[in-house]
Amino acid sequence: MATEIGGTKITFGDPRQPKALPLSHPKARWGEFGRKTTVLPKGYVRRRGCLPLPCDILFDRDIAVRLRDGVVIYLDVYRPVNDVLKIPALLAWSPYGKQGGRGNQVLDDFPFRMAVPLRKLSELQKWEGPDPAYWVQHGYAVINADPRGVGKSEGDIYHFGSQEGRDGADVVDWIGEQPWCSGKVGLSGNSYLSISQWFIAAERPKYLAAIAPWEGLSDLFGEGLALGGTITTPSLNFDLQLLQVNAGENSWENATQMVIDHDIFGPYHDDKRARVENINVPAYVVASWSNPIHTFGTFCAYMKLTSEKWLRVHDTWEWPDYYDEVNRTDLHRFFDRYLKGIDNGWEKTPKVRVKIIDTAIPTTRQGVDMTFSAFPPPQSIPMKLFFNGMDGSLSAAYPPSSRVEYQVKTGGCEFIYKFETDAVLCGPIDLCLAVSLAEAADSDIFITFEKILTSGYVGSQLIVPYERLYQSFLIRAANRAGLAPETQVLFYKGPAGQARLSRREPHPHDNIPGFRKANMEVRTFVKQHETVLFRPSVGPIGMNFAKGEQLRLRVSGQNPAVFPPVDQATLTVDNFQNPNETGVVSIHCGTYDKSGSYVTLPLLSQC
């Protein structure tokens, strides 16, 4: 069990909560513990209103597995009752608790279960994991794991990195050697269960046959807590609170404190970057345009994959997308091909499938479906637009020299492009800013892209496909009235980006065209009034624009990020210094040396 990496001692716990959440805490929702094998009969109902089991399921509870360093962790296994046929298995790996329908995160914690009705799930699934009711019926085993430190598993809880990768790889190979297993194991699940797949698969366990990362970054710091070189209070608080509510009997790795204490990155931070390029099994990758946590990182990971891969980009929230019947059937075909060897024509599936969003439509799942041979789409044409500080426009013509300034604490500036014909934008965004700074040593810069409708309103789409009109109505009303600020995360307006001026240098060996990552190993401050060119980290775009609609690009010092609430979490970061308390940022346009600010958009079609 690692206590330091590259000479950097790992911080465990927090003075306010040194150990993991006790199993007796209501948030843990801890159930019975003890080795037990039972048959859950067809028709069994885990709780009133949930999906009855469509078949008998053999349930092996609290199986002890010893990892390579001697630590013992516990698994629950759901599999068909018939022991004659050897079957493939799906592993769900996360610290949220393995007990079906329990754990520290459940859909009931969110408004209207985030459009995943109770009747659609058996509640045997762990949070964000595959439902045994479906997969066992179709000849798969589902394994829910409590990683080290979680629940009754021994050791301390780790937060991604090579330790978790090795542990997960050990479990994959334990599963593959079980007498009931065919020797084929897949990884499934979204968010944390997706991130863990990158780390586990990079270890190349012997029996791993396929992965399906469903919205998950692959670099905790470069794509998450320090995206664009910024380290901000909202992202730190969200990560800290997720860590706080993990339940177990020992301590927990405080990765949040590690990024605060060690903002010059080294071996520890590099350990939190999955070696995606090492993955050698087929991958079905799912991303969205709108996820505030995972969008940038999921695309980065997909781009780095060298194994056979498919990408699907959807237009909704991750949980209803993962449990949607059509998408689950699609995933079933993928696993049947690579875990069962069924020749079902999966290879003919388009390599890239995307849903183009129209934020003029207030509800999700209304976009246009497109397919491509790769991402970015080979058909896209770079559309370069220059910032014009004289009139606040974005223009294909190089503008006269000017600058626009704003106070970082309260202000910002906007630039607008009007579409003269219908257009579709799909792919990475290349944004280059010519910036100078006064009255401050450093500054965080935040960028947003929005559609301005012909009515003058900003396009905004509720990305959760609620079943009932009253549910959508209540969410919209709460958001408009400011009664629940966290509901902002459920509305998508367009891509976003961010960067810290002192971290403007690109990462020397981990950069992907269109997905810039900051070099956090150095800090280069800007001299007062010195103009520098740099490229912020910006998420990709998949939007259409009708004739007369406008694209508004806003640059400001205010962080627009909103994260989902973490139920019953109380910890927040203390005394964290925000660089955007003072200062004036100037955006330089049309400079004489032709190095002014511009944005290059991926124009797919214009007609």
Side-chain angles (χ1 to χ4, degrees):
M1 183 172 67
T3 58
E4 65 175 47
I5 296 175
T8 302
K9 185 178 180 181
I10 301 173
T11 298
F12 286 92
D14 181 281
R16 297 162 293 181
Q17 185 181 312
K19 301 186 73 173
L21 205 68
L23 301 180
S24 59
H25 193 285
K27 176 66 173 173
R29 300 184 180 92
W30 182 253
E32 295 180 355
F33 178 79
R35 187 71 182 91
K36 185 178 181 180
T37 299
T38 187
V39 173
L40 305 177
K42 178 179 179 180
Y44 169 82
V45 176
R46 169 72 174 74
R47 57 181 277 204
R48 183 178 179 182
C50 73
L51 177 72
L53 294 188
C55 66
D56 293 345
I57 293 180
L58 184 65
F59 175 37
D60 277 331
R61 193 181 76 185
D62 295 319
I63 300 175
V65 175
R66 188 173 299 276
L67 304 176
R68 68 184 72 179
D69 64 354
V71 167
V72 173
I73 69 169
Y74 293 93
L75 318 175
D76 287 347
V77 177
Y78 300 86
R79 56 190 177 92
V81 173
N82 186 349
D83 280 337
V84 176
L85 297 177
K86 291 182 179 292
I87 57 173
L90 301 178
L91 172 62
W93 186 275
S94 74
Y96 299 138
K98 66 178 175 55
Q99 298 175 340
R102 293 180 178 271
N104 64 8
Q105 307 279 352
V106 294
L107 285 165
D108 292 330
D109 289 342
F110 298 89
F112 311 116
R113 290 177 55 92
M114 291 295 280
V116 183
L118 180 60
R119 69 177 187 278
K120 291 190 176 183
L121 296 175
S122 70
E123 293 297 275
L124 296 180
Q125 79 286 346
K126 75 179 305 184
W127 172 244
E128 300 177 325
D131 188 356
Y134 177 86
W135 292 100
V136 173
Q137 180 189 19
H138 291 92
Y140 288 82
V142 173
I143 292 85
N144 293 341
D146 271 350
R148 70 170 65 216
V150 177
K152 290 288 186 176
S153 293
E154 297 174 356
D156 296 324
I157 302 173
Y158 281 77
H159 195 42
F160 308 123
S162 62
Q163 181 69 70
E164 193 152 51
R166 291 189 297 271
D167 292 351
D170 287 353
V171 172
V172 167
D173 285 342
W174 177 90
I175 294 168
E177 292 174 352
Q178 297 310 296
W180 47 261
C181 184
S182 65
K184 299 287 187 179
V185 181
L187 303 176
S188 184
N190 72 273
S191 193
Y192 195 110
L193 288 80
S194 176
I195 300 172
S196 63
Q197 291 183 50
W198 302 122
F199 288 94
I200 295 170
E203 296 291 325
R204 295 187 173 183
K206 176 181 177 180
Y207 295 104
L208 185 64
I211 62 173
W214 214 280
E215 296 209 60
L217 54 81
S218 64
D219 180 347
L220 177 61
F221 297 109
E223 300 162 3
L225 292 179
L227 177 63
T230 63
I231 301 174
T232 66
T233 301
S235 63
L236 292 176
N237 281 339
F238 177 71
D239 191 65
L240 178 61
Q241 291 179 356
L242 282 179
L243 296 173
Q244 177 199 357
V245 298
N246 288 331
E249 296 183 323
N250 297 300
S251 194
W252 49 284
E253 180 187 9
N254 192 336
T256 311
Q257 194 62 46
M258 290 296 292
V259 75
I260 295 172
D261 294 342
H262 305 278
D263 64 347
I264 297 294
F265 283 10
Y268 172 82
H269 309 81
D270 193 52
D271 184 74
K272 303 301 182 183
R273 179 176 63 87
R275 274 40 179 185
V276 175
E277 61 277 8
N278 289 346
I279 295 173
N280 61 353
V281 295
Y284 175 5
V285 182
V286 177
S288 72
W289 307 112
S290 56
N291 194 296
I293 306 162
H294 299 301
T295 290
F296 187 90
T298 308
F299 277 93
C300 284
Y302 168 81
M303 297 285 284
K304 287 190 289 186
L305 271 173
T306 58
S307 63
E308 198 168 10
K309 60 185 179 180
W310 287 263
L311 174 68
R312 182 174 64 82
V313 188
H314 65 91
D315 64 343
T316 183
W317 192 260
E318 57 191 272
W319 306 323
D321 184 80
Y322 182 71
Y323 291 113
D324 177 81
E325 290 89 342
V326 173
N327 298 334
R328 186 172 58 188
T329 300
D330 198 49
L331 179 61
H332 187 176
R333 289 184 61 242
F334 171 75
F335 279 138
D336 272 358
R337 180 68 189 94
Y338 294 106
L339 270 63
K340 290 188 174 182
I342 297 175
D343 187 6
N344 56 13
W346 171 262
E347 291 89 343
K348 297 178 181 178
T349 303
K351 287 292 186 178
V352 176
R353 295 171 286 171
V354 306
K355 179 82 77 171
I356 301 297
I357 293 180
D358 185 353
T359 58
I361 303 174
T363 55
T364 190
R365 292 181 173 169
Q366 306 295 317
V368 176
D369 291 305
M370 291 188 170
T371 61
F372 308 107
S373 60
F375 189 91
Q379 302 94 320
S380 64
I381 301 170
M383 178 182 175
K384 190 172 185 177
L385 302 173
F386 297 95
F387 288 32
N388 189 330
M390 305 292 288
D391 61 7
S393 68
L394 294 169
S395 173
Y398 199 78
S401 179
S402 63
R403 70 183 177 93
V404 182
E405 65 179 37
Y406 64 85
Q407 295 284 338
V408 298
K409 192 169 184 178
T410 58
C413 55
E414 299 174 350
F415 300 88
I416 291 177
Y417 177 79
K418 184 176 181 179
F419 288 88
E420 300 299 332
T421 60
D422 295 349
V424 175
L425 304 178
C426 184
I429 296 172
D430 179 25
L431 176 62
C432 182
L433 296 179
V435 173
S436 62
L437 178 64
E439 303 173 22
D442 205 355
S443 183
D444 285 344
I445 293 178
F446 300 97
I447 303 100
T448 57
F449 294 80
E450 299 173 334
K451 177 193 287 193
I452 307 298
L453 310 181
T454 54
S455 64
Y457 289 101
V458 176
S460 178
Q461 187 169 106
L462 176 59
I463 57 173
V464 181
Y466 291 110
E467 283 194 314
R468 308 297 181 189
L469 287 177
Y470 80 87
Q471 296 171 341
S472 299
F473 173 80
L474 289 175
I475 294 295
R476 293 181 191 279
N479 182 60
R480 283 195 298 265
L483 299 176
E486 64 273 12
T487 58
Q488 295 177 45
V489 77
L490 306 181
F491 293 85
Y492 180 67
K493 296 179 181 179
Q498 59 196 63
R500 178 164 293 182
L501 279 180
S502 65
R503 307 287 198 176
R504 63 189 179 278
E505 299 297 329
H507 198 287
H509 54 77
D510 190 20
N511 264 296
I512 301 163
F515 295 92
R516 176 198 175 277
K517 293 169 70 171
N519 184 0
M520 294 294 290
E521 298 173 9
V522 298
R523 185 185 287 114
T524 308
F525 290 102
V526 180
K527 298 176 182 179
Q528 295 294 291
H529 304 291
E530 175 192 10
T531 302
V532 295
L533 282 173
F534 75 102
R535 284 176 162 80
S537 300
V538 181
I541 189 170
M543 295 176 65
N544 61 7
F545 291 81
K547 178 181 178 180
E549 292 180 335
Q550 300 174 82
L551 173 71
R552 180 168 69 187
L553 190 164
R554 177 174 172 80
V555 183
S556 77
Q558 293 87 58
N559 186 358
V562 179
F563 295 94
V566 181
D567 178 60
Q568 300 186 49
T570 58
L571 295 184
T572 57
V573 295
D574 291 335
N575 303 317
F576 181 71
Q577 186 175 3
N578 180 359
N580 280 17
E581 292 299 322
T582 61
V584 177
V585 169
S586 294
I587 306 295
H588 296 265
C589 314
T591 56
Y592 295 111
D593 60 357
K594 301 292 184 180
S595 60
S597 303
Y598 66 86
V599 62
T600 302
L601 301 169
L603 180 63
L604 191 62
S605 65
Q606 196 165 19
C607 48

